[in-house]
Amino acid sequence: MTVPENFYSKLSEVYDAAVASGDLIYAESTTKDLAVNDISYHLAIASSLASKPVPDNAEKPKETEPEIETSEKPFDPFDPPHPALLVLDNFNNDYAVVLNKFAVVPRHFLLVTREFSPQSSPLRPEDLEASLQLIKAANKQSGKRHVGFFNSGVNSGASVTHKHIQFLALPDGFKPFPDDVIKGKYGRDYEEGQRPLSNDTLPFAHFIVPLHEVEEGDDLGFRYSTLLSRTLTSLRLHKATPISYNFLFTEEWFLAVPRRAAETKEGISVNAVGAIGLLLAKGDEELKIIEERGPESILEEVGLPVREEDEVEYDY
Ligand code: AMP
C-alpha cells in the first residue's frame, strides 16, 4: 500500500482536533540553538514530557537477570490506539498511524503494530519499509524534513513495550550530524556491506549507513542489521545489559547508538533524538544542567565509549 495523498492533511486535522479536545498534550517550549565542534544542537523544554507516564518498574529486568520477554503487557496505550489520536487504522495491513499523546513537537506521530509485538525485538524489513514510506510521504506532503526513531531496551528511553516507531519534523534549518558523515566529511565513503561510518570527534559510539535510494525492505533490513551487529558488539564489549539502543533514520541515512543508561546522573532522560542533538528538558532546571554540562558530556554519559577498531576481530 502507498501512503494516502491526504495523509499529512489528515494528520494535521486529527492533531488540531485532539489538541482542542484535550486528548493530546503539547505546549510551546523555550528553545536554544548552539553549535559545539561543528555539530548543531537544539535544546528545548518539552513540558509534555513531565506528563508522560514512566515505565513500570516491574518491567525493568534486574541487572543480573537475562533479558527475557515476558508475555505481560503492563502498559499498552496502542492496544487499541485512542480513537481521537488515530490517523490511519490500517497501513500496509500490519500497522496503525497514531499521534503521540505527549507530543514534543506539533504533529509528532507514531507507526504502531496492530498486533502486539515487543519493542525489544529487532525491526523487520516490513517495519523499515513502512517507516521509509511514511517519512517520504510526510516530507513531501508537509515540505518539512522528518526524522524517524526507535528506542529499544530499558536503557534507550523507551517507555512502551508495544512496538512503535516515532516521527517528528526537524526544526527549520537544523542539520543532524549524519548529514555530513555520509558526505565523507569525517574520512571515508561507505562501501556496501563494509564497516559503517561515524563522526570520530564525538565521544559516544554510533554507527551510520547512507541509504542512497535504497527502498526495498530486504535492502533496508540488510543495512539495519549491519548497524545492529556493530551495536551488539559494542554492548558486549562494554558489558552493557540489557540490550538497549536508539535507531534513527531520515530519507538519507540510518544511525544506531548503543546505550548504557536511560538518563543522566541528574535524572535527565535522553531518548533517540538526543543522539542527533535534539535534547529535551522537562523544565528550566534540566535545561540549565544540559547547558552547563554541555550536550557532548550528556551523550557520553548515556552512550558507550567509542571503541578502537582493532579492539575486536569480528562483530557479534
Ligand atoms: P517511548 O517512550 O520511546 O517508548 O515512546 C512511547 C511514546 O508513546 C511516548 O513518546 C509517549 O509520549 C507516547 N504515548 C504514551 N501514551 C500514549 C497514548 N495513549 N497514545 C499515543 N501515544 C502515547
Side-chain angles (χ1 to χ4, degrees), residues 23 48-49 52-53 75-78 81-82 85 98-104 108 110 119 149-152 156-162 164 166 271:
D23 288 303
S48 60
L49 289 180
K52 189 180 121 171
F75 168 60
D76 191 349
F78 308 135
H82 192 305
L85 302 174
V98 183
L99 282 158
N100 192 313
K101 184 172 175 63
F102 307 97
V104 301
H108 176 177
L110 305 132
Q119 184 73 357
F149 57 101
F150 177 67
N151 301 316
S152 186
S156 70
S159 62
V160 174
T161 57
H162 183 138
H164 58 282
Q166 309 191 45
N271 86 2

PDB file of all heavy atoms in Angstrom, residues 23 48-49 52-53 75-78 81-82 85 98-104 108 110 119 149-152 156-162 164 166 271, ligand 1:
ATOM      1  N   ASP A  23      -7.234  15.671  24.252  1.00  0.00           N
ATOM      2  CA  ASP A  23      -6.744  14.289  24.177  1.00  0.00           C
ATOM      3  C   ASP A  23      -5.249  14.231  23.877  1.00  0.00           C
ATOM      4  O   ASP A  23      -4.634  13.169  23.984  1.00  0.00           O
ATOM      5  CB  ASP A  23      -7.505  13.520  23.086  1.00  0.00           C
ATOM      6  CG  ASP A  23      -8.930  13.228  23.511  1.00  0.00           C
ATOM      7  OD1 ASP A  23      -9.093  12.600  24.576  1.00  0.00           O
ATOM      8  OD2 ASP A  23      -9.862  13.665  22.813  1.00  0.00           O
ATOM      9  N   SER A  48       5.451  18.619  27.903  1.00  0.00           N
ATOM     10  CA  SER A  48       4.570  17.449  27.814  1.00  0.00           C
ATOM     11  C   SER A  48       5.261  16.203  28.381  1.00  0.00           C
ATOM     12  O   SER A  48       4.606  15.276  28.840  1.00  0.00           O
ATOM     13  CB  SER A  48       4.164  17.193  26.363  1.00  0.00           C
ATOM     14  OG  SER A  48       5.301  16.962  25.577  1.00  0.00           O
ATOM     15  N   LEU A  49       6.614  16.205  28.378  1.00  0.00           N
ATOM     16  CA  LEU A  49       7.338  15.034  28.886  1.00  0.00           C
ATOM     17  C   LEU A  49       7.077  14.825  30.377  1.00  0.00           C
ATOM     18  O   LEU A  49       7.119  13.710  30.871  1.00  0.00           O
ATOM     19  CB  LEU A  49       8.852  15.209  28.680  1.00  0.00           C
ATOM     20  CG  LEU A  49       9.368  15.127  27.255  1.00  0.00           C
ATOM     21  CD1 LEU A  49      10.874  15.326  27.240  1.00  0.00           C
ATOM     22  CD2 LEU A  49       9.020  13.778  26.645  1.00  0.00           C
ATOM     23  N   LYS A  52       4.160  12.575  30.710  1.00  0.00           N
ATOM     24  CA  LYS A  52       4.257  11.242  30.100  1.00  0.00           C
ATOM     25  C   LYS A  52       4.422  10.171  31.188  1.00  0.00           C
ATOM     26  O   LYS A  52       5.218  10.342  32.108  1.00  0.00           O
ATOM     27  CB  LYS A  52       5.487  11.246  29.177  1.00  0.00           C
ATOM     28  CG  LYS A  52       5.617  10.038  28.300  1.00  0.00           C
ATOM     29  CD  LYS A  52       6.869  10.166  27.440  1.00  0.00           C
ATOM     30  CE  LYS A  52       7.818   9.030  27.688  1.00  0.00           C
ATOM     31  NZ  LYS A  52       8.939   8.946  26.787  1.00  0.00           N
ATOM     32  N   PRO A  53       3.668   9.062  31.060  1.00  0.00           N
ATOM     33  CA  PRO A  53       3.822   8.009  32.070  1.00  0.00           C
ATOM     34  C   PRO A  53       5.238   7.441  32.038  1.00  0.00           C
ATOM     35  O   PRO A  53       5.831   7.329  30.977  1.00  0.00           O
ATOM     36  CB  PRO A  53       2.818   6.933  31.636  1.00  0.00           C
ATOM     37  CG  PRO A  53       1.991   7.540  30.560  1.00  0.00           C
ATOM     38  CD  PRO A  53       2.722   8.696  30.000  1.00  0.00           C
ATOM     39  N   PHE A  75       1.471  -1.953  30.387  1.00  0.00           N
ATOM     40  CA  PHE A  75       1.033  -0.619  29.972  1.00  0.00           C
ATOM     41  C   PHE A  75       1.040  -0.610  28.458  1.00  0.00           C
ATOM     42  O   PHE A  75       2.097  -0.638  27.839  1.00  0.00           O
ATOM     43  CB  PHE A  75       2.001   0.417  30.548  1.00  0.00           C
ATOM     44  CG  PHE A  75       1.833   1.798  29.980  1.00  0.00           C
ATOM     45  CD1 PHE A  75       0.623   2.489  30.094  1.00  0.00           C
ATOM     46  CD2 PHE A  75       2.899   2.418  29.331  1.00  0.00           C
ATOM     47  CE1 PHE A  75       0.484   3.759  29.579  1.00  0.00           C
ATOM     48  CE2 PHE A  75       2.763   3.700  28.811  1.00  0.00           C
ATOM     49  CZ  PHE A  75       1.554   4.370  28.945  1.00  0.00           C
ATOM     50  N   ASP A  76      -0.123  -0.651  27.831  1.00  0.00           N
ATOM     51  CA  ASP A  76      -0.166  -0.687  26.372  1.00  0.00           C
ATOM     52  C   ASP A  76      -1.156   0.314  25.804  1.00  0.00           C
ATOM     53  O   ASP A  76      -2.334   0.011  25.621  1.00  0.00           O
ATOM     54  CB  ASP A  76      -0.491  -2.096  25.872  1.00  0.00           C
ATOM     55  CG  ASP A  76      -0.266  -2.205  24.367  1.00  0.00           C
ATOM     56  OD1 ASP A  76      -0.075  -1.151  23.719  1.00  0.00           O
ATOM     57  OD2 ASP A  76      -0.272  -3.327  23.846  1.00  0.00           O
ATOM     58  N   PRO A  77      -0.670   1.535  25.519  1.00  0.00           N
ATOM     59  CA  PRO A  77      -1.577   2.569  25.002  1.00  0.00           C
ATOM     60  C   PRO A  77      -1.951   2.358  23.536  1.00  0.00           C
ATOM     61  O   PRO A  77      -2.763   3.107  23.006  1.00  0.00           O
ATOM     62  CB  PRO A  77      -0.767   3.848  25.165  1.00  0.00           C
ATOM     63  CG  PRO A  77       0.650   3.408  25.117  1.00  0.00           C
ATOM     64  CD  PRO A  77       0.707   2.009  25.663  1.00  0.00           C
ATOM     65  N   PHE A  78      -1.373   1.321  22.898  1.00  0.00           N
ATOM     66  CA  PHE A  78      -1.633   1.131  21.463  1.00  0.00           C
ATOM     67  C   PHE A  78      -2.531  -0.068  21.186  1.00  0.00           C
ATOM     68  O   PHE A  78      -2.668  -0.496  20.045  1.00  0.00           O
ATOM     69  CB  PHE A  78      -0.309   1.004  20.698  1.00  0.00           C
ATOM     70  CG  PHE A  78       0.651   2.124  20.978  1.00  0.00           C
ATOM     71  CD1 PHE A  78       1.979   1.878  21.232  1.00  0.00           C
ATOM     72  CD2 PHE A  78       0.199   3.451  21.009  1.00  0.00           C
ATOM     73  CE1 PHE A  78       2.859   2.921  21.509  1.00  0.00           C
ATOM     74  CE2 PHE A  78       1.071   4.488  21.289  1.00  0.00           C
ATOM     75  CZ  PHE A  78       2.401   4.220  21.542  1.00  0.00           C
ATOM     76  N   PRO A  81      -5.246   1.811  19.826  1.00  0.00           N
ATOM     77  CA  PRO A  81      -4.917   3.245  19.932  1.00  0.00           C
ATOM     78  C   PRO A  81      -6.155   4.057  20.291  1.00  0.00           C
ATOM     79  O   PRO A  81      -7.271   3.660  19.966  1.00  0.00           O
ATOM     80  CB  PRO A  81      -4.453   3.606  18.516  1.00  0.00           C
ATOM     81  CG  PRO A  81      -4.167   2.326  17.829  1.00  0.00           C
ATOM     82  CD  PRO A  81      -5.024   1.283  18.477  1.00  0.00           C
ATOM     83  N   HIS A  82      -5.933   5.174  20.940  1.00  0.00           N
ATOM     84  CA  HIS A  82      -7.035   6.063  21.305  1.00  0.00           C
ATOM     85  C   HIS A  82      -7.691   6.597  20.011  1.00  0.00           C
ATOM     86  O   HIS A  82      -6.981   7.129  19.145  1.00  0.00           O
ATOM     87  CB  HIS A  82      -6.479   7.214  22.137  1.00  0.00           C
ATOM     88  CG  HIS A  82      -7.534   8.019  22.809  1.00  0.00           C
ATOM     89  ND1 HIS A  82      -8.579   8.608  22.132  1.00  0.00           N
ATOM     90  CD2 HIS A  82      -7.723   8.330  24.112  1.00  0.00           C
ATOM     91  CE1 HIS A  82      -9.348   9.254  22.974  1.00  0.00           C
ATOM     92  NE2 HIS A  82      -8.858   9.098  24.193  1.00  0.00           N
ATOM     93  N   LEU A  85      -6.759   9.886  18.514  1.00  0.00           N
ATOM     94  CA  LEU A  85      -5.375  10.082  18.063  1.00  0.00           C
ATOM     95  C   LEU A  85      -5.051   9.288  16.796  1.00  0.00           C
ATOM     96  O   LEU A  85      -3.956   9.373  16.246  1.00  0.00           O
ATOM     97  CB  LEU A  85      -4.397   9.659  19.183  1.00  0.00           C
ATOM     98  CG  LEU A  85      -4.563  10.384  20.521  1.00  0.00           C
ATOM     99  CD1 LEU A  85      -3.651   9.773  21.586  1.00  0.00           C
ATOM    100  CD2 LEU A  85      -4.253  11.873  20.372  1.00  0.00           C
ATOM    101  N   VAL A  98      -0.641   6.759  14.513  1.00  0.00           N
ATOM    102  CA  VAL A  98      -1.296   7.371  15.669  1.00  0.00           C
ATOM    103  C   VAL A  98      -0.520   8.620  16.064  1.00  0.00           C
ATOM    104  O   VAL A  98       0.710   8.639  15.962  1.00  0.00           O
ATOM    105  CB  VAL A  98      -1.221   6.367  16.865  1.00  0.00           C
ATOM    106  CG1 VAL A  98      -1.951   6.894  18.074  1.00  0.00           C
ATOM    107  CG2 VAL A  98      -1.727   5.000  16.483  1.00  0.00           C
ATOM    108  N   LEU A  99      -1.211   9.641  16.540  1.00  0.00           N
ATOM    109  CA  LEU A  99      -0.483  10.804  17.060  1.00  0.00           C
ATOM    110  C   LEU A  99       0.034  10.508  18.453  1.00  0.00           C
ATOM    111  O   LEU A  99      -0.609   9.769  19.217  1.00  0.00           O
ATOM    112  CB  LEU A  99      -1.403  12.026  17.104  1.00  0.00           C
ATOM    113  CG  LEU A  99      -1.591  12.649  15.725  1.00  0.00           C
ATOM    114  CD1 LEU A  99      -2.864  13.467  15.667  1.00  0.00           C
ATOM    115  CD2 LEU A  99      -0.382  13.510  15.357  1.00  0.00           C
ATOM    116  N   ASN A 100       1.199  11.073  18.779  1.00  0.00           N
ATOM    117  CA  ASN A 100       1.758  10.898  20.114  1.00  0.00           C
ATOM    118  C   ASN A 100       0.953  11.744  21.102  1.00  0.00           C
ATOM    119  O   ASN A 100       0.781  12.944  20.897  1.00  0.00           O
ATOM    120  CB  ASN A 100       3.232  11.320  20.122  1.00  0.00           C
ATOM    121  CG  ASN A 100       3.936  10.888  21.388  1.00  0.00           C
ATOM    122  OD1 ASN A 100       3.436  11.079  22.495  1.00  0.00           O
ATOM    123  ND2 ASN A 100       5.097  10.296  21.227  1.00  0.00           N
ATOM    124  N   LYS A 101       0.450  11.104  22.142  1.00  0.00           N
ATOM    125  CA  LYS A 101      -0.392  11.813  23.125  1.00  0.00           C
ATOM    126  C   LYS A 101       0.395  12.902  23.856  1.00  0.00           C
ATOM    127  O   LYS A 101      -0.162  13.916  24.256  1.00  0.00           O
ATOM    128  CB  LYS A 101      -0.915  10.789  24.144  1.00  0.00           C
ATOM    129  CG  LYS A 101      -1.866  11.338  25.174  1.00  0.00           C
ATOM    130  CD  LYS A 101      -2.472  10.219  26.005  1.00  0.00           C
ATOM    131  CE  LYS A 101      -3.325  10.733  27.118  1.00  0.00           C
ATOM    132  NZ  LYS A 101      -4.490  11.493  26.649  1.00  0.00           N
ATOM    133  N   PHE A 102       1.701  12.689  24.033  1.00  0.00           N
ATOM    134  CA  PHE A 102       2.541  13.669  24.732  1.00  0.00           C
ATOM    135  C   PHE A 102       3.546  14.196  23.713  1.00  0.00           C
ATOM    136  O   PHE A 102       4.727  13.795  23.699  1.00  0.00           O
ATOM    137  CB  PHE A 102       3.236  13.019  25.931  1.00  0.00           C
ATOM    138  CG  PHE A 102       2.257  12.325  26.841  1.00  0.00           C
ATOM    139  CD1 PHE A 102       2.037  10.958  26.744  1.00  0.00           C
ATOM    140  CD2 PHE A 102       1.513  13.052  27.770  1.00  0.00           C
ATOM    141  CE1 PHE A 102       1.112  10.325  27.559  1.00  0.00           C
ATOM    142  CE2 PHE A 102       0.576  12.423  28.585  1.00  0.00           C
ATOM    143  CZ  PHE A 102       0.371  11.057  28.476  1.00  0.00           C
ATOM    144  N   ALA A 103       3.064  15.073  22.853  1.00  0.00           N
ATOM    145  CA  ALA A 103       3.852  15.498  21.694  1.00  0.00           C
ATOM    146  C   ALA A 103       4.999  16.405  22.122  1.00  0.00           C
ATOM    147  O   ALA A 103       4.801  17.325  22.918  1.00  0.00           O
ATOM    148  CB  ALA A 103       2.937  16.231  20.717  1.00  0.00           C
ATOM    149  N   VAL A 104       6.206  16.138  21.604  1.00  0.00           N
ATOM    150  CA  VAL A 104       7.317  17.050  21.896  1.00  0.00           C
ATOM    151  C   VAL A 104       7.423  18.142  20.838  1.00  0.00           C
ATOM    152  O   VAL A 104       8.057  19.170  21.061  1.00  0.00           O
ATOM    153  CB  VAL A 104       8.665  16.319  22.116  1.00  0.00           C
ATOM    154  CG1 VAL A 104       8.571  15.325  23.262  1.00  0.00           C
ATOM    155  CG2 VAL A 104       9.156  15.633  20.871  1.00  0.00           C
ATOM    156  N   HIS A 108       3.664  15.212  16.154  1.00  0.00           N
ATOM    157  CA  HIS A 108       4.590  14.114  16.480  1.00  0.00           C
ATOM    158  C   HIS A 108       3.766  12.823  16.367  1.00  0.00           C
ATOM    159  O   HIS A 108       2.776  12.662  17.045  1.00  0.00           O
ATOM    160  CB  HIS A 108       5.052  14.378  17.920  1.00  0.00           C
ATOM    161  CG  HIS A 108       5.948  13.356  18.542  1.00  0.00           C
ATOM    162  ND1 HIS A 108       6.462  13.550  19.809  1.00  0.00           N
ATOM    163  CD2 HIS A 108       6.416  12.168  18.126  1.00  0.00           C
ATOM    164  CE1 HIS A 108       7.213  12.503  20.142  1.00  0.00           C
ATOM    165  NE2 HIS A 108       7.197  11.653  19.143  1.00  0.00           N
ATOM    166  N   LEU A 110       3.308   8.338  15.410  1.00  0.00           N
ATOM    167  CA  LEU A 110       3.882   7.014  15.618  1.00  0.00           C
ATOM    168  C   LEU A 110       3.319   6.003  14.640  1.00  0.00           C
ATOM    169  O   LEU A 110       2.139   6.070  14.292  1.00  0.00           O
ATOM    170  CB  LEU A 110       3.521   6.492  17.019  1.00  0.00           C
ATOM    171  CG  LEU A 110       3.886   7.356  18.215  1.00  0.00           C
ATOM    172  CD1 LEU A 110       2.706   7.496  19.147  1.00  0.00           C
ATOM    173  CD2 LEU A 110       5.033   6.742  18.963  1.00  0.00           C
ATOM    174  N   GLN A 119       8.687  -4.290  21.745  1.00  0.00           N
ATOM    175  CA  GLN A 119       9.595  -3.207  21.354  1.00  0.00           C
ATOM    176  C   GLN A 119      11.045  -3.667  21.400  1.00  0.00           C
ATOM    177  O   GLN A 119      11.898  -3.114  20.718  1.00  0.00           O
ATOM    178  CB  GLN A 119       9.374  -2.002  22.298  1.00  0.00           C
ATOM    179  CG  GLN A 119      10.167  -0.753  21.991  1.00  0.00           C
ATOM    180  CD  GLN A 119       9.656   0.004  20.762  1.00  0.00           C
ATOM    181  OE1 GLN A 119       8.718  -0.431  20.078  1.00  0.00           O
ATOM    182  NE2 GLN A 119      10.243   1.144  20.485  1.00  0.00           N
ATOM    183  N   PHE A 149      12.444   7.493  14.574  1.00  0.00           N
ATOM    184  CA  PHE A 149      13.306   6.898  15.606  1.00  0.00           C
ATOM    185  C   PHE A 149      12.610   5.797  16.380  1.00  0.00           C
ATOM    186  O   PHE A 149      11.392   5.755  16.485  1.00  0.00           O
ATOM    187  CB  PHE A 149      13.866   7.964  16.552  1.00  0.00           C
ATOM    188  CG  PHE A 149      12.854   8.827  17.259  1.00  0.00           C
ATOM    189  CD1 PHE A 149      12.509   8.567  18.581  1.00  0.00           C
ATOM    190  CD2 PHE A 149      12.246   9.894  16.630  1.00  0.00           C
ATOM    191  CE1 PHE A 149      11.593   9.372  19.246  1.00  0.00           C
ATOM    192  CE2 PHE A 149      11.316  10.693  17.284  1.00  0.00           C
ATOM    193  CZ  PHE A 149      10.993  10.432  18.590  1.00  0.00           C
ATOM    194  N   PHE A 150      13.470   4.911  16.909  1.00  0.00           N
ATOM    195  CA  PHE A 150      13.032   3.686  17.573  1.00  0.00           C
ATOM    196  C   PHE A 150      13.918   3.518  18.801  1.00  0.00           C
ATOM    197  O   PHE A 150      15.142   3.404  18.678  1.00  0.00           O
ATOM    198  CB  PHE A 150      13.226   2.540  16.575  1.00  0.00           C
ATOM    199  CG  PHE A 150      12.903   1.172  17.071  1.00  0.00           C
ATOM    200  CD1 PHE A 150      11.605   0.802  17.383  1.00  0.00           C
ATOM    201  CD2 PHE A 150      13.912   0.204  17.183  1.00  0.00           C
ATOM    202  CE1 PHE A 150      11.310  -0.495  17.806  1.00  0.00           C
ATOM    203  CE2 PHE A 150      13.609  -1.092  17.600  1.00  0.00           C
ATOM    204  CZ  PHE A 150      12.310  -1.434  17.913  1.00  0.00           C
ATOM    205  N   ASN A 151      13.302   3.564  19.981  1.00  0.00           N
ATOM    206  CA  ASN A 151      14.046   3.359  21.230  1.00  0.00           C
ATOM    207  C   ASN A 151      13.810   1.916  21.644  1.00  0.00           C
ATOM    208  O   ASN A 151      12.665   1.523  21.846  1.00  0.00           O
ATOM    209  CB  ASN A 151      13.498   4.268  22.344  1.00  0.00           C
ATOM    210  CG  ASN A 151      13.572   5.748  21.988  1.00  0.00           C
ATOM    211  OD1 ASN A 151      14.583   6.203  21.466  1.00  0.00           O
ATOM    212  ND2 ASN A 151      12.516   6.490  22.267  1.00  0.00           N
ATOM    213  N   SER A 152      14.862   1.129  21.784  1.00  0.00           N
ATOM    214  CA  SER A 152      14.653  -0.280  22.131  1.00  0.00           C
ATOM    215  C   SER A 152      15.529  -0.678  23.322  1.00  0.00           C
ATOM    216  O   SER A 152      16.727  -0.413  23.334  1.00  0.00           O
ATOM    217  CB  SER A 152      14.980  -1.161  20.923  1.00  0.00           C
ATOM    218  OG  SER A 152      14.654  -2.495  21.207  1.00  0.00           O
ATOM    219  N   SER A 156      17.278   2.732  26.691  1.00  0.00           N
ATOM    220  CA  SER A 156      17.197   3.543  25.473  1.00  0.00           C
ATOM    221  C   SER A 156      16.270   4.738  25.610  1.00  0.00           C
ATOM    222  O   SER A 156      16.214   5.594  24.741  1.00  0.00           O
ATOM    223  CB  SER A 156      16.673   2.681  24.322  1.00  0.00           C
ATOM    224  OG  SER A 156      15.295   2.384  24.546  1.00  0.00           O
ATOM    225  N   GLY A 157      15.500   4.760  26.711  1.00  0.00           N
ATOM    226  CA  GLY A 157      14.489   5.810  26.858  1.00  0.00           C
ATOM    227  C   GLY A 157      13.103   5.320  26.487  1.00  0.00           C
ATOM    228  O   GLY A 157      12.139   6.087  26.519  1.00  0.00           O
ATOM    229  N   ALA A 158      12.971   4.032  26.148  1.00  0.00           N
ATOM    230  CA  ALA A 158      11.650   3.502  25.767  1.00  0.00           C
ATOM    231  C   ALA A 158      10.738   3.405  26.990  1.00  0.00           C
ATOM    232  O   ALA A 158      11.192   3.044  28.072  1.00  0.00           O
ATOM    233  CB  ALA A 158      11.806   2.112  25.147  1.00  0.00           C
ATOM    234  N   SER A 159       9.464   3.745  26.811  1.00  0.00           N
ATOM    235  CA  SER A 159       8.528   3.655  27.932  1.00  0.00           C
ATOM    236  C   SER A 159       7.355   2.723  27.638  1.00  0.00           C
ATOM    237  O   SER A 159       6.582   2.419  28.527  1.00  0.00           O
ATOM    238  CB  SER A 159       8.000   5.050  28.289  1.00  0.00           C
ATOM    239  OG  SER A 159       7.280   5.602  27.202  1.00  0.00           O
ATOM    240  N   VAL A 160       7.210   2.312  26.380  1.00  0.00           N
ATOM    241  CA  VAL A 160       6.071   1.479  25.987  1.00  0.00           C
ATOM    242  C   VAL A 160       6.615   0.198  25.358  1.00  0.00           C
ATOM    243  O   VAL A 160       7.517   0.256  24.513  1.00  0.00           O
ATOM    244  CB  VAL A 160       5.166   2.240  24.982  1.00  0.00           C
ATOM    245  CG1 VAL A 160       4.070   1.335  24.451  1.00  0.00           C
ATOM    246  CG2 VAL A 160       4.560   3.485  25.625  1.00  0.00           C
ATOM    247  N   THR A 161       6.077  -0.966  25.757  1.00  0.00           N
ATOM    248  CA  THR A 161       6.633  -2.244  25.275  1.00  0.00           C
ATOM    249  C   THR A 161       6.034  -2.729  23.953  1.00  0.00           C
ATOM    250  O   THR A 161       6.505  -3.690  23.371  1.00  0.00           O
ATOM    251  CB  THR A 161       6.432  -3.354  26.333  1.00  0.00           C
ATOM    252  OG1 THR A 161       5.032  -3.443  26.605  1.00  0.00           O
ATOM    253  CG2 THR A 161       7.193  -3.054  27.604  1.00  0.00           C
ATOM    254  N   HIS A 162       4.965  -2.082  23.499  1.00  0.00           N
ATOM    255  CA  HIS A 162       4.325  -2.441  22.225  1.00  0.00           C
ATOM    256  C   HIS A 162       5.106  -1.743  21.095  1.00  0.00           C
ATOM    257  O   HIS A 162       5.346  -0.537  21.155  1.00  0.00           O
ATOM    258  CB  HIS A 162       2.864  -1.953  22.291  1.00  0.00           C
ATOM    259  CG  HIS A 162       2.028  -2.277  21.111  1.00  0.00           C
ATOM    260  ND1 HIS A 162       0.730  -2.716  21.243  1.00  0.00           N
ATOM    261  CD2 HIS A 162       2.247  -2.204  19.789  1.00  0.00           C
ATOM    262  CE1 HIS A 162       0.194  -2.898  20.045  1.00  0.00           C
ATOM    263  NE2 HIS A 162       1.110  -2.586  19.143  1.00  0.00           N
ATOM    264  N   HIS A 164       6.682   0.370  18.421  1.00  0.00           N
ATOM    265  CA  HIS A 164       6.307   1.672  17.854  1.00  0.00           C
ATOM    266  C   HIS A 164       7.551   2.400  17.357  1.00  0.00           C
ATOM    267  O   HIS A 164       8.616   2.308  17.951  1.00  0.00           O
ATOM    268  CB  HIS A 164       5.583   2.533  18.902  1.00  0.00           C
ATOM    269  CG  HIS A 164       6.407   2.770  20.135  1.00  0.00           C
ATOM    270  ND1 HIS A 164       6.553   1.820  21.124  1.00  0.00           N
ATOM    271  CD2 HIS A 164       7.154   3.828  20.522  1.00  0.00           C
ATOM    272  CE1 HIS A 164       7.344   2.283  22.066  1.00  0.00           C
ATOM    273  NE2 HIS A 164       7.745   3.495  21.728  1.00  0.00           N
ATOM    274  N   GLN A 166       8.687   6.309  16.031  1.00  0.00           N
ATOM    275  CA  GLN A 166       8.167   7.682  16.140  1.00  0.00           C
ATOM    276  C   GLN A 166       8.716   8.564  15.007  1.00  0.00           C
ATOM    277  O   GLN A 166       9.781   8.289  14.458  1.00  0.00           O
ATOM    278  CB  GLN A 166       8.581   8.291  17.472  1.00  0.00           C
ATOM    279  CG  GLN A 166       8.254   7.386  18.638  1.00  0.00           C
ATOM    280  CD  GLN A 166       8.406   8.081  19.971  1.00  0.00           C
ATOM    281  OE1 GLN A 166       7.959   9.208  20.150  1.00  0.00           O
ATOM    282  NE2 GLN A 166       9.016   7.415  20.919  1.00  0.00           N
ATOM    283  N   ASN A 271      16.403  10.360  24.968  1.00  0.00           N
ATOM    284  CA  ASN A 271      15.964   9.314  24.045  1.00  0.00           C
ATOM    285  C   ASN A 271      16.651   9.517  22.702  1.00  0.00           C
ATOM    286  O   ASN A 271      17.613  10.276  22.577  1.00  0.00           O
ATOM    287  CB  ASN A 271      14.440   9.190  24.006  1.00  0.00           C
ATOM    288  CG  ASN A 271      13.769  10.137  23.041  1.00  0.00           C
ATOM    289  OD1 ASN A 271      14.420  10.895  22.329  1.00  0.00           O
ATOM    290  ND2 ASN A 271      12.455  10.083  22.997  1.00  0.00           N
TER     291      ASN A 271
HETATM  292  P1  AMP B   1       8.889   5.559  24.077  1.00  0.00           P
HETATM  293  O1  AMP B   1       8.814   6.367  25.336  1.00  0.00           O
HETATM  294  O2  AMP B   1      10.106   5.767  23.275  1.00  0.00           O
HETATM  295  O3  AMP B   1       8.629   4.089  24.346  1.00  0.00           O
HETATM  296  O4  AMP B   1       7.704   6.028  23.147  1.00  0.00           O
HETATM  297  C1  AMP B   1       6.366   5.851  23.516  1.00  0.00           C
HETATM  298  C2  AMP B   1       5.641   7.089  23.153  1.00  0.00           C
HETATM  299  O5  AMP B   1       4.241   6.830  23.280  1.00  0.00           O
HETATM  300  C3  AMP B   1       5.973   8.242  24.075  1.00  0.00           C
HETATM  301  O6  AMP B   1       6.556   9.267  23.311  1.00  0.00           O
HETATM  302  C4  AMP B   1       4.635   8.639  24.667  1.00  0.00           C
HETATM  303  O7  AMP B   1       4.501  10.033  24.705  1.00  0.00           O
HETATM  304  C5  AMP B   1       3.639   8.028  23.707  1.00  0.00           C
HETATM  305  N1  AMP B   1       2.366   7.671  24.330  1.00  0.00           N
HETATM  306  C6  AMP B   1       2.130   7.279  25.605  1.00  0.00           C
HETATM  307  N2  AMP B   1       0.814   7.021  25.784  1.00  0.00           N
HETATM  308  C7  AMP B   1       0.207   7.245  24.595  1.00  0.00           C
HETATM  309  C8  AMP B   1      -1.132   7.140  24.113  1.00  0.00           C
HETATM  310  N3  AMP B   1      -2.129   6.759  24.903  1.00  0.00           N
HETATM  311  N4  AMP B   1      -1.380   7.425  22.822  1.00  0.00           N
HETATM  312  C9  AMP B   1      -0.378   7.831  21.987  1.00  0.00           C
HETATM  313  N5  AMP B   1       0.892   7.960  22.398  1.00  0.00           N
HETATM  314  C10 AMP B   1       1.203   7.659  23.667  1.00  0.00           C
END
